[in-house]
Amino acid sequence: QVHLVESGGGSVQAGGSLRLSCVATGLFSASNCLAWFRQAPGKEYEGVAGISTQDGTTYYHDSVKGRFTVSQEYAKTTVYLQMSGLKSEDTAMYYCAARAGYGVNSCDPTKNNFDYWGQGTEVTVSS
């Protein structure tokens, strides 16, 4: 059974930084995708960043390119989202998600549905 637990959310002023963490257990595929989504109040879910556990390829939503960095630790069971240059529009609940991933772009959260989700961690950016 896949289980995802996020941590690291909080409140920060615009321009500040936060690092989110997600511990994934129970991943059964030889090739997995781990990703971050977010949902702002009154808005739909949005894929923010994704990473392939197989080869480390990363994917980003255009709105966070150059500001956010997704990475994984060596055992490939923890994924991080380093967020810098935060803006008020980054305020949202952030969710970690996972899916089995094969093929080009299969780990892009802006193009794929993900099967397993964590409970979320809240990020608030004040201007």
Side-chain angles (χ1 to χ4, degrees):
Q1 184 175 357
V2 178
H3 193 51
L4 305 167
V5 179
E6 305 97 334
S7 61
S11 297
V12 64
Q13 290 191 327
S17 300
L18 279 174
R19 189 176 82 154
L20 306 183
S21 301
C22 171
V23 177
T25 57
L27 295 173
F28 55 85
S29 173
S31 179
N32 297 287
C33 305
L34 293 172
W36 291 93
F37 288 76
R38 66 186 179 187
Q39 187 178 31
K43 295 189 177 181
E44 296 184 353
Y45 283 94
E46 177 180 71
V48 175
I51 187 167
S52 166
T53 63
Q54 185 179 38
D55 60 13
T57 302
T58 56
Y59 304 86
Y60 296 95
H61 190 280
D62 285 346
S63 66
V64 306
K65 285 180 180 176
R67 300 189 298 123
F68 291 11
T69 302
V70 62
S71 62
Q72 60 185 345
E73 54 88 2
Y74 182 75
K76 303 176 182 179
T77 59
T78 302
V79 63
Y80 304 99
L81 184 67
Q82 178 67 49
M83 305 184 293
S84 302
L86 284 162
K87 306 175 181 179
S88 57
E89 51 263 45
D90 295 318
T91 294
M93 186 70 81
Y94 283 72
Y95 297 90
C96 180
R99 68 187 297 264
Y102 297 91
V104 177
N105 295 327
S106 62
C107 296
D108 187 342
T110 70
K111 295 182 170 63
N112 297 281
N113 293 321
F114 279 61
D115 301 312
Y116 307 98
W117 294 75
Q119 294 299 307
T121 185
E122 191 166 7
V123 172
T124 302
V125 183
S126 57
S127 56

